[in-house]
Amino acid sequence: IACCIPVITAGAAITAMHYMCLKMVRNEESYIVKGYFKAFKESFKQATKVWLVLLVIVAILFGDFLIINHSNIQFPYWFHVVFYAMSIIALFEYIMVFPIMGKFENTTLQTMKNALIISIVKFPITLVMIAMNAVPVIITIYILQIFPFVLMFGWSVPAYFGAKMLNKYFKKLEEHI
């Protein structure tokens, strides 16, 4: 969380968290803090690019959402469909791109393509990972007193269980590569 405070570094922090979670699932971790900062440093450039792209996409989608829902303009049905489809694609991208960057080395564009493909191929896992990441946010909205607990575990626990779900598939990909 401390590494996410300057918003620009959040991508590298999330990627490093997923890197360490996968190491923990595979019982390959040695020093968690040292491994985390090593992954943070190695993924900083690419993860920051991806993070900033996702932030811009989310900002545009949020602006579109506000315009669609708070303006007097009646938008056609297809516009709503396109908007929600793009929102789902952005969510799928966000859920998968950081675990993939934490495990595989690739170009930024190829990583983003792979994240979208894997999120569709592993659709049930993607849905479970979305739900696991949404639960802490929803709980915090309704029970504000739980926020310190969510702050400590709300990102790492879903990332750990996401790593458990993705581990078998990632091993198959590694063997294929």
Side-chain angles (χ1 to χ4, degrees), residues 98-165:
F98 297 109
I100 290 170
M101 271 192 295
K103 182 61 190 160
F104 301 102
E105 289 184 31
N106 224 324
T107 65
T108 303
L109 185 59
Q110 191 61 47
T111 299
M112 293 185 82
K113 284 181 189 177
N114 290 343
L116 190 55
I117 292 167
I118 290 171
S119 68
I120 293 167
V121 168
K122 292 298 180 180
F123 184 72
I125 290 174
T126 303
L127 289 180
V128 171
M129 288 176 68
I130 289 169
M132 286 189 312
N133 282 282
V135 166
V137 174
I138 293 168
I139 289 173
T140 302
I141 290 170
Y142 290 104
I143 309 169
L144 190 57
Q145 295 83 359
I146 204 164
F147 181 70
F149 182 76
V150 169
L151 199 58
M152 290 175 56
F153 302 106
W155 288 281
S156 57
V157 171
Y160 178 78
F161 286 110
K164 281 183 103 43
M165 289 186 291

Side-chain angles (χ1 to χ4, degrees), residues 22-63:
L22 193 58
K23 288 280 192 185
M24 291 168 65
V25 164
R26 293 181 173 190
N27 290 319
E28 296 174 354
E29 85 278 4
S30 55
Y31 297 104
I32 293 175
V33 174
K34 185 178 178 181
Y36 174 86
F37 282 108
K38 178 181 178 263
F40 183 92
K41 181 181 170 187
E42 289 175 356
S43 68
F44 183 81
K45 189 175 179 180
Q46 183 179 30
T48 301
K49 283 183 202 175
V50 170
W51 173 249
L52 293 176
V53 166
L54 288 174
L55 278 180
V56 168
I57 290 169
V58 167
I60 291 169
L61 289 171
F62 183 71

Side-chain angles (χ1 to χ4, degrees), residues 159-170:
Y160 178 78
F161 286 110
K164 281 183 103 43
M165 289 186 291
L166 290 171
N167 183 39
K168 186 175 178 181
Y169 183 67
F170 282 179

